[in-house]
Protein backbone atom coordinates (compact mmCIF):
# COMPACT_ATOMS: atom_id res chain seq x y z
CA UNK A 1 0.00 0.00 0.00
CA UNK A 2 1.54 3.29 -1.11
CA UNK A 3 -0.15 6.35 0.35
CA UNK A 4 0.83 9.86 -0.81
CA UNK A 5 0.40 13.25 0.90
CA UNK A 6 -0.38 16.48 -0.93
CA UNK A 7 -0.83 19.76 0.97
CA UNK A 8 -2.01 23.17 -0.15
CA UNK A 9 -4.05 26.14 0.92
CA UNK A 10 -6.37 25.63 -2.08
CA UNK A 11 -7.64 29.22 -2.04
CA UNK A 12 -9.32 28.17 -4.32
CA UNK A 13 -8.76 24.60 -5.58
CA UNK A 14 -7.83 25.03 -9.28
CA UNK A 15 -6.91 23.05 -12.42
CA UNK A 16 -3.17 23.19 -11.59
CA UNK A 17 -3.90 21.33 -8.33
CA UNK A 18 -5.96 18.84 -10.34
CA UNK A 19 -2.99 18.02 -12.63
CA UNK A 20 -0.93 17.13 -9.54
CA UNK A 21 -3.70 14.86 -8.26
CA UNK A 22 -3.93 13.18 -11.68
CA UNK A 23 -0.24 12.33 -11.39
CA UNK A 24 -0.48 11.15 -7.78
CA UNK A 25 -3.30 8.73 -8.47
CA UNK A 26 -1.22 7.16 -11.26
CA UNK A 27 1.66 6.60 -8.84
CA UNK A 28 0.02 5.87 -5.45
CA UNK A 29 -2.71 3.60 -4.09
CA UNK A 30 -4.29 6.24 -1.83
CA UNK A 31 -4.11 10.01 -1.54
CA UNK A 32 -4.22 12.27 1.51
CA UNK A 33 -5.02 15.91 0.78
CA UNK A 34 -4.08 18.29 3.59
CA UNK A 35 -5.91 21.60 3.61
CA UNK A 36 -3.24 23.89 5.02
CA UNK A 37 -3.80 27.11 6.98
CA UNK A 38 -7.18 25.64 7.94
CA UNK A 39 -7.68 28.34 10.58
CA UNK A 40 -7.66 31.12 8.00
CA UNK A 41 -10.66 32.48 6.11
CA UNK A 42 -12.39 35.75 5.27
CA UNK A 43 -9.29 37.64 4.23
CA UNK A 44 -8.15 38.51 0.72
CA UNK A 45 -5.36 35.93 0.67
CA UNK A 46 -7.53 33.26 2.30
CA UNK A 47 -11.16 33.98 1.47
CA UNK A 48 -12.57 30.46 1.92
CA UNK A 49 -13.05 28.46 5.13
CA UNK A 50 -11.54 25.00 5.58
CA UNK A 51 -15.03 23.50 5.27
CA UNK A 52 -15.67 25.32 1.99
CA UNK A 53 -12.34 24.07 0.66
CA UNK A 54 -13.28 20.51 1.71
CA UNK A 55 -16.47 20.92 -0.33
CA UNK A 56 -14.61 22.24 -3.40
CA UNK A 57 -12.15 19.35 -3.35
CA UNK A 58 -14.57 16.51 -2.61
CA UNK A 59 -17.01 17.70 -5.28
CA UNK A 60 -14.22 18.23 -7.84
CA UNK A 61 -12.83 14.75 -7.15
CA UNK A 62 -16.16 12.92 -7.26
CA UNK A 63 -15.61 9.60 -9.03
CA UNK A 64 -11.82 9.59 -8.47
CA UNK A 65 -10.55 6.06 -9.08
CA UNK A 66 -8.49 5.83 -5.86
CA UNK A 67 -9.48 6.32 -2.20
CA UNK A 68 -8.63 9.72 -0.77
CA UNK A 69 -8.93 11.63 2.52
CA UNK A 70 -9.29 15.41 2.87
CA UNK A 71 -7.95 16.70 6.19
CA UNK A 72 -7.93 20.33 7.34
CA UNK A 73 -4.67 21.18 9.13
CA UNK A 74 -4.07 24.36 11.10
CA UNK A 75 -0.68 26.10 10.93
CA UNK A 76 1.60 25.97 13.95
CA UNK A 77 4.18 28.49 15.13
CA UNK A 78 7.20 26.15 14.91
CA UNK A 79 8.26 25.02 11.45
CA UNK A 80 10.69 22.54 13.01
CA UNK A 81 7.75 20.61 14.51
CA UNK A 82 5.42 20.90 11.54
CA UNK A 83 6.13 17.49 9.95
CA UNK A 84 5.35 15.78 13.28
CA UNK A 85 2.16 17.86 13.49
CA UNK A 86 1.15 16.66 9.99
CA UNK A 87 1.92 13.04 10.82
CA UNK A 88 -0.21 13.27 13.97
CA UNK A 89 -3.21 14.44 11.93
CA UNK A 90 -3.13 12.05 8.95
CA UNK A 91 -3.18 8.36 8.06
CA UNK A 92 0.38 7.05 7.57
CA UNK A 93 1.98 8.05 4.23
CA UNK A 94 5.25 7.33 2.46
CA UNK A 95 5.63 10.05 -0.18
CA UNK A 96 4.96 13.78 -0.41
CA UNK A 97 4.05 15.78 -3.51
CA UNK A 98 4.69 19.51 -3.31
CA UNK A 99 6.45 22.34 -5.12
CA UNK A 100 6.39 24.66 -2.10
CA UNK A 101 10.07 25.24 -1.13
CA UNK A 102 9.45 25.34 2.64
CA UNK A 103 7.35 22.17 2.54
CA UNK A 104 10.03 20.43 0.44
CA UNK A 105 12.74 21.41 2.94
CA UNK A 106 10.81 20.39 6.05
CA UNK A 107 9.91 16.93 4.72
CA UNK A 108 13.41 16.32 3.26
CA UNK A 109 14.97 17.25 6.62
CA UNK A 110 12.64 14.68 8.17
CA UNK A 111 14.10 12.09 5.74
CA UNK A 112 10.94 11.63 3.69
CA UNK A 113 10.85 11.37 -0.13
CA UNK A 114 9.42 14.45 -1.85
CA UNK A 115 8.32 14.74 -5.49
CA UNK A 116 7.83 18.12 -7.12
CA UNK A 117 5.44 17.89 -10.07
CA UNK A 118 5.85 20.32 -12.97
CA UNK A 119 3.74 23.42 -12.49
CA UNK A 120 0.83 23.56 -14.91
CA UNK A 121 0.44 26.94 -16.66
CA UNK A 122 1.63 28.63 -13.48
CA UNK A 123 1.07 32.21 -14.62
CA UNK A 124 -2.68 31.78 -14.89
CA UNK A 125 -3.10 28.78 -12.56
CA UNK A 126 -2.13 30.25 -9.22
CA UNK A 127 -4.38 31.12 -6.29
CA UNK A 128 -3.07 34.69 -6.30
CA UNK A 129 -3.94 35.29 -9.94
CA UNK A 130 -7.37 33.62 -9.66
CA UNK A 131 -8.29 35.63 -6.55
CA UNK A 132 -7.18 38.80 -8.33
CA UNK A 133 -9.47 37.93 -11.24
CA UNK A 134 -12.34 37.32 -8.83
CA UNK A 135 -11.78 40.75 -7.28
CA UNK A 136 -11.56 42.62 -10.54
CA UNK A 137 -14.46 40.91 -12.32
CA UNK A 138 -12.30 39.18 -14.96
CA UNK A 139 -13.23 35.61 -15.93
CA UNK A 140 -11.76 32.94 -13.64
CA UNK A 141 -14.22 30.10 -14.09
CA UNK A 142 -12.15 28.35 -16.81
CA UNK A 143 -9.21 28.04 -14.39
CA UNK A 144 -10.99 25.83 -11.82
CA UNK A 145 -13.01 22.58 -12.07
CA UNK A 146 -16.74 23.17 -12.81
CA UNK A 147 -17.63 21.78 -9.36
CA UNK A 148 -15.57 24.56 -7.75
CA UNK A 149 -17.44 27.20 -9.75
CA UNK A 150 -20.68 25.76 -8.33
CA UNK A 151 -19.45 25.74 -4.73
CA UNK A 152 -18.21 29.33 -4.98
CA UNK A 153 -21.56 30.36 -6.40
CA UNK A 154 -23.46 28.50 -3.61
CA UNK A 155 -21.48 30.23 -0.88
CA UNK A 156 -21.59 33.61 -2.67
CA UNK A 157 -17.83 33.61 -2.63
CA UNK A 158 -17.36 36.39 -5.16
CA UNK A 159 -19.56 38.76 -3.12
CA UNK A 160 -17.47 37.90 -0.07
CA UNK A 161 -14.20 38.65 -1.85
CA UNK A 162 -15.46 41.96 -3.21
CA UNK A 163 -16.73 42.95 0.25
CA UNK A 164 -13.35 42.10 1.79
CA UNK A 165 -11.68 44.15 -0.94
CA UNK A 166 -13.98 47.10 -0.31
CA UNK A 167 -13.41 46.96 3.43
CA UNK A 168 -9.65 46.87 2.92
CA UNK A 169 -9.56 49.83 0.57
CA UNK A 170 -12.38 52.04 1.74
CA UNK A 171 -12.47 52.80 5.49
CA UNK A 172 -15.62 54.89 5.02
CA UNK A 173 -17.54 51.79 3.95
CA UNK A 174 -16.58 50.10 7.20
CA UNK A 175 -17.60 53.09 9.30
CA UNK A 176 -20.93 53.45 7.50
CA UNK A 177 -21.86 49.80 7.82
CA UNK A 178 -20.71 49.87 11.46
CA UNK A 179 -23.00 52.85 12.18
CA UNK A 180 -25.94 51.03 10.61
CA UNK A 181 -25.70 48.37 13.31
CA UNK A 182 -25.61 50.77 16.30
P1 LIG B 1 -1.06 26.23 -2.70
O1 LIG B 1 -2.53 26.02 -2.68
O2 LIG B 1 -0.48 27.49 -3.20
O3 LIG B 1 -0.36 25.06 -3.55
C1 LIG B 1 -0.58 23.71 -3.21
C2 LIG B 1 0.36 22.84 -4.01
O4 LIG B 1 -0.01 22.89 -5.39
C3 LIG B 1 1.84 23.31 -3.93
O5 LIG B 1 2.67 22.17 -3.91
C4 LIG B 1 2.01 24.09 -5.20
O6 LIG B 1 3.34 24.09 -5.66
C5 LIG B 1 1.11 23.29 -6.15
N1 LIG B 1 0.64 24.13 -7.27
C6 LIG B 1 0.18 25.40 -7.23
N2 LIG B 1 -0.11 25.84 -8.47
C7 LIG B 1 0.16 24.82 -9.31
C8 LIG B 1 0.10 24.65 -10.72
N3 LIG B 1 -0.31 25.65 -11.54
N4 LIG B 1 0.48 23.47 -11.27
C9 LIG B 1 0.91 22.46 -10.47
N5 LIG B 1 1.02 22.55 -9.11
C10 LIG B 1 0.64 23.72 -8.55
O7 LIG B 1 -0.59 25.93 -1.20
P2 LIG B 1 0.81 26.06 -0.43
O8 LIG B 1 1.07 27.46 -0.06
O9 LIG B 1 1.89 25.29 -1.11
O10 LIG B 1 0.37 25.29 0.90
C11 LIG B 1 1.29 24.94 1.88
C12 LIG B 1 0.57 24.92 3.21
O11 LIG B 1 1.44 24.37 4.18
C13 LIG B 1 0.17 26.33 3.70
O12 LIG B 1 -1.12 26.27 4.27
C14 LIG B 1 1.21 26.62 4.77
O13 LIG B 1 0.77 27.51 5.78
C15 LIG B 1 1.42 25.21 5.33
N6 LIG B 1 2.66 25.13 6.09
C16 LIG B 1 2.57 25.37 7.42
C17 LIG B 1 3.70 25.34 8.21
C18 LIG B 1 3.53 25.61 9.69
O14 LIG B 1 2.38 25.63 10.14
N7 LIG B 1 4.59 25.84 10.44
C19 LIG B 1 4.94 25.08 7.65
C20 LIG B 1 5.02 24.83 6.27
C21 LIG B 1 3.86 24.87 5.50
Amino acid sequence: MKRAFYIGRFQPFHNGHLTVIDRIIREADELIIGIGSAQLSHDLENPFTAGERVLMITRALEGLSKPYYVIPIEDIQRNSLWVAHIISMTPPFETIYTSNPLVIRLFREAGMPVFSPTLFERESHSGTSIRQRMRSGESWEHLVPPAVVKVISEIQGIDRIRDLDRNDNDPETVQTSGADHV
Side-chain angles (χ1 to χ4, degrees), residues 35-105:
I35 300 192
S37 306
Q39 79 282 8
L40 298 178
S41 72
H42 294 80
D43 67 47
L44 285 172
E45 297 299 302
N46 301 280
F48 306 115
T49 67
E52 290 163 349
R53 289 176 274 161
V54 169
L55 208 52
M56 290 177 201
I57 292 170
T58 49
R59 294 239 191 114
L61 298 186
E62 223 169 71
L64 197 76
S65 59
K66 300 268 174 81
Y68 67 96
Y69 314 88
V70 183
I71 303 179
I73 299 176
E74 296 194 2
D75 293 330
I76 61 168
Q77 292 296 322
R78 292 190 188 199
N79 284 334
S80 60
L81 298 182
W82 185 67
V83 169
H85 172 59
I86 297 288
I87 289 170
S88 77
M89 300 290 290
T90 58
F93 58 89
E94 295 74 36
T95 50
I96 297 94
Y97 289 76
T98 180
S99 300
N100 178 308
L102 175 61
V103 176
I104 293 172
R105 169 146 288 277

Side-chain angles (χ1 to χ4, degrees), residues 103-116:
V103 176
I104 293 172
R105 169 146 288 277
L106 294 177
F107 276 109
R108 290 224 167 115
E109 285 186 8
M112 300 185 73
V114 176
F115 298 102
S116 293

Side-chain angles (χ1 to χ4, degrees), residues 65 136 159:
S65 59
S136 65
D159 286 350

Side-chain angles (χ1 to χ4, degrees), residues 6-11 14 16-17 19-20 36-37 74-76 78-79 82 97-100 102-103 106 118-122 125-126:
Y6 177 48
I7 186 151
R9 278 173 36 240
F10 306 121
Q11 290 280 12
H14 59 63
H17 299 135
T19 64
V20 178
S37 306
E74 296 194 2
D75 293 330
I76 61 168
R78 292 190 188 199
N79 284 334
W82 185 67
Y97 289 76
T98 180
S99 300
N100 178 308
L102 175 61
V103 176
L106 294 177
T118 316
L119 294 175
F120 171 77
E121 298 180 1
R122 180 59 172 166
H125 288 77
S126 79

